[in-house]
Amino acid sequence: MTIFLFFIISIIIITSSLLVILSKNPIHSVLFLILVFFNTSILFLFSNAEFLAMILLIVYIGAVAVLFLFVVMMLDINITKLRQTFLNYLPTGLFIGFIILIELIYVVSQSNLNFVKTNSSDINISNQILENTKIIGNILYTDYFLLFQLSGIILLVAMIGAIYLTLRKSKGTKKQNIYKQILK
Amino acid sequence: MEIPIIYQLYLSIIIFTIGLIGVFLNRKNLIVLLMSIELILLSANINFVSFSNYYKNIIGQIFVFFNLSISAAEAAVGLAIIVIFFRKKGSIHVDDINTLKG
């Protein structure tokens, strides 16, 4: 039953991710991207990653995809026809994609995934007493605390960069003039 | 019943290839290119989670968490660049981006 559901969800994911890159209207692309994220979060639920499934719903669909949607609607792009240059890049793109697909499938099919099943961390998933979120919190706030704070700093830098890039330097905007402020 | 990991790996390979071909074939606008990059990151996330479930080790899921924050930052900065580019040129068609003559 689970494997049947997995196949259905995989087919939905593959079809809608093809439609993301092929549809002419960018708004349709964003909506299909949302469908891909939603189905991937269901896939994460199958893999016992409940916290990440919910985070994927909140962060990707709630923040990133809606941000894409806002930008697409704000920019007022006229849906132009595909220009002639589309065909120039078609053979190269398909060639590179095909080679990488063949190589990756070869690598995965030749690998024997029966390595030693490690129990590197004391608290692992098989411990059924704790929930998924608690396990992640226990490790994230102890062993990976530095990386956690580093990702926070990266988000801060991205926020400041985005604000600075999109700031209009026209007459209407209010700015702080430090010299004037000090001289008063 | 567990899903065999090999199926999840194949799924992630297919999504990765679709994203890669999307980067090459996309001649419409830059936003679809950013979406293709999101698809590539998503395939990496699927790999991380399936291996995390396979080895019963939580660290894969923690790296997915970091991956999500990095991709959110990347989307924010990329969309800001697209917005200011649209303000300057009035178009975000990929073929119009030739200022650097690369």
Side-chain angles (χ1 to χ4, degrees):
Chain A
M1 186 60 199
T2 314
I3 203 107
F4 183 65
L5 267 178
F6 173 77
F7 279 128
I8 290 178
I9 287 168
S10 310
I11 289 168
I12 294 173
I13 288 177
I14 291 168
T15 316
S16 48
S17 57
L18 273 175
L19 284 170
V20 166
I21 68 170
L22 290 181
S23 63
K24 289 203 173 85
N25 194 341
I27 292 178
H28 294 171
S29 296
V30 180
L31 294 178
F32 282 118
L33 194 71
I34 289 176
L35 191 61
V36 172
F37 288 149
F38 189 75
N39 283 295
T40 311
S41 86
I42 298 173
L43 208 66
F44 282 2
L45 282 180
F46 285 149
S47 302
N48 299 320
E50 296 95 7
F51 178 69
L52 280 178
M54 295 306 130
I55 284 293
L56 201 78
L57 281 186
I58 294 170
V59 171
Y60 261 129
I61 299 177
V64 174
V66 172
L67 195 68
F68 275 113
L69 207 60
F70 273 148
V71 172
V72 169
M73 289 180 174
M74 200 173 65
L75 289 188
D76 185 28
I77 308 152
N78 44 353
I79 307 158
T80 51
K81 288 176 229 160
L82 292 180
R83 296 188 192 175
Q84 196 60 41
T85 52
F86 177 74
L87 290 176
N88 292 347
Y89 297 96
L90 188 67
T92 320
L94 282 185
F95 180 67
I96 293 173
F98 185 71
I99 283 184
I100 287 181
L101 182 70
I102 294 296
E103 282 177 354
L104 286 176
I105 284 179
Y106 181 74
V107 167
V108 168
S109 62
Q110 290 298 311
S111 66
N112 46 348
L113 284 166
N114 293 316
F115 304 134
V116 185
K117 291 213 173 189
T118 53
N119 278 322
S120 62
S121 55
D122 294 331
I123 311 157
N124 47 22
I125 301 174
S126 60
N127 192 350
Q128 291 293 334
I129 303 165
L130 290 175
E131 307 150 21
N132 184 253
T133 314
K134 269 189 185 172
I135 302 169
I136 288 182
N138 275 339
I139 294 192
L140 189 63
Y141 290 119
T142 53
D143 295 349
Y144 289 86
F145 189 64
L146 199 64
L147 285 177
F148 181 67
Q149 290 205 322
L150 201 63
S151 71
I153 290 174
I154 287 172
L155 281 177
L156 178 72
V157 169
M159 187 184 79
I160 293 173
I163 291 172
Y164 181 72
L165 281 174
T166 54
L167 192 68
R168 274 181 194 271
K169 294 168 186 87
S170 59
K171 282 197 173 177
T173 49
K174 293 191 166 57
K175 278 179 118 181
Q176 182 188 26
N177 195 344
I178 296 174
Y179 286 121
K180 254 187 190 172
Q181 218 172 18
I182 292 173
L183 285 176
K184 264 180 188 173
Chain B
M1 182 185 156
E2 293 267 315
I3 300 161
I5 186 173
I6 203 89
Y7 293 157
Q8 301 186 9
L9 294 186
Y10 281 136
L11 176 68
S12 108
I13 285 171
I14 292 170
I15 296 174
F16 178 83
T17 314
I18 289 172
L20 196 77
I21 292 176
V23 171
F24 278 105
L25 290 195
N26 163 45
R27 295 290 121 190
K28 286 169 288 188
N29 58 52
L30 268 179
I31 295 179
V32 183
L33 201 144
L34 272 182
M35 285 182 222
S36 309
I37 295 173
E38 294 287 333
L39 280 181
I40 292 175
L41 286 170
L42 191 77
S43 78
N45 287 345
I46 292 174
N47 252 352
F48 269 124
V49 169
S50 56
F51 271 113
S52 159
N53 189 32
Y54 181 70
Y55 287 122
K56 302 293 175 198
N57 196 336
I58 201 72
I59 295 175
Q61 297 185 18
I62 287 172
F63 273 95
V64 174
F65 188 77
F66 293 138
N67 212 342
L68 284 179
S69 67
I70 298 301
S71 78
E74 172 252 332
V77 175
L79 287 173
I81 290 174
I82 287 175
V83 167
I84 55 167
F85 191 84
F86 185 78
R87 249 184 232 158
K88 287 247 182 219
K89 295 266 170 130
S91 154
I92 53 168
H93 201 282
V94 176
D95 289 334
D96 291 341
I97 304 172
N98 50 10
T99 318
L100 285 180
K101 308 283 181 203

